């Protein structure tokens, strides 16, 4: 446990690190240093002398270790939605004779919106969405790209990345894996699974802070052929040659677009200082212990709410979700009583299990509060019924 490495308000059990990780203790000082000593003293010279220009690839390698990526195959920047667009476009361009992007109905809406917008812009490409369990059966000779999020944001259901990647390849398709709920949550072996492209965000389990950038992975075997449709100058082989024509940089660096968010990356760097010390398999083992304890305690005390996450821990990510008709109000009541999770429409109460800063005691406290809110119907209060902009 590394709870002392994070700033968490006393008396709060934070089960929302799957949505926004808490503040790493070193992050404010790291951002302060970047502002005062780098931006403040170096100004424009910071790009060279403080190494700002190399940060997207340097941080990419540190994230790469957590997701089983080869050195140099991950670049950081933009937002996850943008990375989805870029990578699906790159994969489509490598299978010009095929016209289907295949995804599932459990995918995060932004991924589906981005693919749909891209398909519409290209004109002859179609986004096909099936139920998660129908994916394997739908992969066929018309599919150019299999675009999946490994762990379902609502239920926590986990796809078998290696098996689906193999099936896609056997059918001649390429894969784009979204690791939004995988990076920092469980071991990921991109190279081992033979993944083609992958992307993710850094503000959820990785604790990079609100608005922290996304990342993109390009398998080394595609490094020289993958095209980025977003031909920004910092993905150019020689940005400072200012050539009129676009020539892509080598490998994953070509997925860079424009000027990187240096202040936000400073916060991410402090978060990655913690991750550098973490063994992800041990973290996963702890996540399973804590999740099983949480499920058992909540189920025994609260017959009104139903587990929607897979019961087999190997088939889950690092979150536990329950279905309850009055889930929004119940979550507001929990938050008012010091247990922070979140709500996903239409009726899902979601709890992120993050062993870096959660103990057995935290789990027991949270389960106790949930039992109290449910058995005493504390959620049944008009104060908890009004929905905020962010749920
Ligand atoms: C959180 C999440 C996003 C959010 O994308 P942003 O561009 O970072 O806002 C996209 N896809 C998935 C699967 C997510 O879980």
């Amino acid at each position: 446990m590394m709870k002392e490495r994070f700033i968490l308000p006393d008396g709060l059990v934070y089960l929302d690190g799957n949505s926004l990780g808490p503040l790493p203790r070193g992050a404010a000082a790291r951002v302060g240093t970047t502002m005062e000593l780098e931006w403040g003293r170096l100004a424009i010279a910071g790009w060279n002398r403080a190494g700002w220009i190399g940060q997207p690839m340097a941080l990419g390698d540190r994230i790469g270790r957590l997701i089983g990526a080869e050195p140099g195959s991950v670049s950081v920047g933009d937002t996850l939605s943008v990375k989805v667009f870029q990578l699906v476009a790159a994969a489509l361009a490598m299978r010009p004779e095929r016209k289907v992007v295949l995804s599932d109905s459990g995918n995060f809406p932004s991924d589906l919106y981005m693919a749909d917008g891209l398909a519409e812009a290209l004109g002859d490409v179609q986004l096909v969405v099936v139920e998660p369990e129908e994916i394997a059966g739908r992969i066929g000779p018309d599919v150019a790209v299999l675009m999946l999020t490994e762990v379902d944001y609502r239920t926590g259901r986990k796809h078998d990345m290696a098996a689906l990647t193999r099936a896609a390849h056997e059918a001649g398709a390429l894969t784009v894996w979204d690791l939004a709920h995988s990076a920092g949550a469980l071991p990921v072996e991109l190279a081992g699974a033979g993944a083609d492209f992958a992307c993710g965000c850094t503000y959820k389990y990785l604790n990079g802070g609100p608005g922290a950038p996304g990342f993109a992975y390009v398998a080394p075997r595609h490094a020289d052929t993958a095209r980025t449709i977003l031909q920004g100058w910092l993905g150019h082989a020689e940005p400072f040659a200012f050539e009129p024509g676009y020539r892509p940089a080598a490998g994953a660096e070509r997925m860079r677009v424009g000027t990187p968010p240096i202040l936000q990356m400073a916060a991410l760097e402090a978060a990655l200082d913690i991750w550098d010390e973490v063994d992800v398999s041990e973290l996963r083992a702890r996540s399973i212990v804590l999740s099983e304890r949480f499920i058992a305690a909540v189920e025994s005390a609260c017959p009104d709410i139903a587990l929607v996450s897979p019961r087999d821990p190997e088939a889950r990510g690092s979150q536990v979700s329950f279905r309850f008709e009055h889930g929004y109000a119940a979550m507001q009541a929990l938050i008012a009583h010091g247990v922070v999770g979140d709500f996903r429409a239409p009726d899902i109460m979601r709890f992120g299990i993050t062993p870096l800063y959660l103990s057995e005691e935290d789990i027991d406290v949270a389960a106790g509060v949930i039992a109290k809110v449910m058995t005493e119907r504390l959620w049944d209060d008009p104060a908890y019924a009004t929905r905020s902009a962010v749920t």
Side-chain angles (χ1 to χ4, degrees):
M1 251 246 295
M2 301 170 103
K3 195 169 197 163
E4 74 291 348
R5 306 285 290 272
F6 295 91
I7 305 225
L8 282 160
D10 280 342
L12 195 79
V13 182
Y14 194 68
L15 301 177
D16 214 1
N18 54 319
S19 231
L20 177 67
L23 174 62
R25 207 164 271 285
R30 183 70 190 81
V31 173
T33 299
T34 302
M35 293 184 85
E36 289 164 19
L37 302 186
E38 297 180 2
W39 183 18
R41 295 209 189 151
L42 301 173
I44 189 78
W47 289 107
N48 288 317
R49 288 178 48 203
W52 294 345
I53 198 69
Q55 279 292 73
M57 299 307 290
L59 297 185
D61 273 345
R62 293 172 71 184
I63 293 167
R65 184 187 75 84
L66 302 171
I67 54 175
E70 302 86 341
S73 63
V74 177
S75 63
V76 168
D78 314 297
T79 74
L80 171 51
S81 302
V82 171
K83 295 290 134 189
V84 168
F85 185 89
Q86 244 185 326
L87 297 181
V88 173
L92 275 169
M94 292 168 72
R95 290 291 179 273
E97 68 292 353
R98 296 172 176 226
K99 300 298 171 197
V100 168
V101 176
L102 177 62
S103 192
D104 72 52
S105 57
N107 207 342
F108 191 76
S110 196
D111 296 41
L112 299 175
Y113 302 157
M114 294 308 270
D116 186 46
L118 174 62
E120 208 164 295
L122 292 171
D124 58 352
V125 169
Q126 194 195 353
L127 171 65
V128 172
V129 178
V130 301
E131 294 303 304
E133 42 303 334
E134 292 167 1
I135 282 286
R138 178 61 184 80
I139 297 171
D142 58 336
V143 176
V145 186
L146 177 62
M147 175 190 83
L148 294 175
T149 295
E150 186 187 19
V151 175
D152 186 300
Y153 75 105
R154 274 182 302 209
T155 64
R157 187 261 316 119
K158 182 173 153 300
H159 274 307
D160 185 337
M161 180 187 291
L164 288 174
T165 299
R166 210 176 311 117
H169 289 170
E170 277 164 14
L174 294 168
T175 54
V176 175
W177 285 100
D178 187 327
L179 305 177
H181 298 276
S182 307
L186 44 93
V188 178
E189 293 297 339
L190 286 177
D196 299 289
F197 299 96
C199 49
C201 58
T202 59
Y203 50 80
K204 291 174 179 159
Y205 291 92
L206 294 179
N207 312 316
F215 62 84
Y217 165 81
V218 179
R221 65 183 177 282
H222 300 316
D224 299 327
T225 39
R227 282 202 47 188
T228 170
I229 196 166
L230 304 176
Q231 300 186 157
W233 70 306
L234 288 183
H236 191 281
E238 281 186 85
F240 285 86
F242 295 106
E243 293 169 6
Y246 183 78
R247 273 193 299 128
E253 187 142 31
R254 66 184 56 187
M255 295 300 163
R256 291 178 63 170
V257 180
T259 303
I262 297 303
L263 299 181
Q264 194 76 62
M265 284 187 179
L268 174 57
E269 191 170 36
L272 292 174
D273 286 346
I274 298 175
W275 281 107
D276 285 350
E277 298 170 33
V278 174
D279 176 325
V280 184
S281 331
E282 279 172 25
L283 181 88
R284 172 68 166 164
R286 285 286 302 151
S287 155
I288 290 176
V289 167
L290 296 175
S291 303
E292 293 289 280
R293 188 179 182 102
F294 184 64
I295 292 170
V298 172
E299 284 194 319
S300 71
C302 313
D304 294 346
I305 66 180
L307 182 71
V308 287
S309 298
R311 207 163 274 286
D312 172 9
E314 298 300 336
R316 274 198 310 263
S318 199
Q319 69 176 65
V320 172
S321 303
F322 294 95
R323 177 164 285 146
F324 177 51
E325 189 188 347
H326 306 286
Y328 182 80
M331 188 54 78
Q332 297 315 301
L334 287 180
I335 294 168
H337 289 82
V339 174
V340 179
D342 60 19
F343 171 79
R344 287 294 174 263
D347 56 3
I348 290 192
M349 298 170 72
R350 195 169 70 148
F351 301 94
I353 308 296
T354 49
L356 289 188
Y357 47 86
L358 289 176
S359 62
E360 270 86 351
E361 192 193 337
D362 292 317
I363 294 296
D364 295 347
V365 168
V369 172
I370 295 170
K372 184 174 163 69
V373 163
M374 295 305 297
T375 51
E376 297 177 21
R377 291 178 65 95
L378 298 183
W379 52 266
D380 196 4
D381 177 327
Y384 299 138
T386 317
R387 294 207 185 177
S388 305
V390 175
T391 64

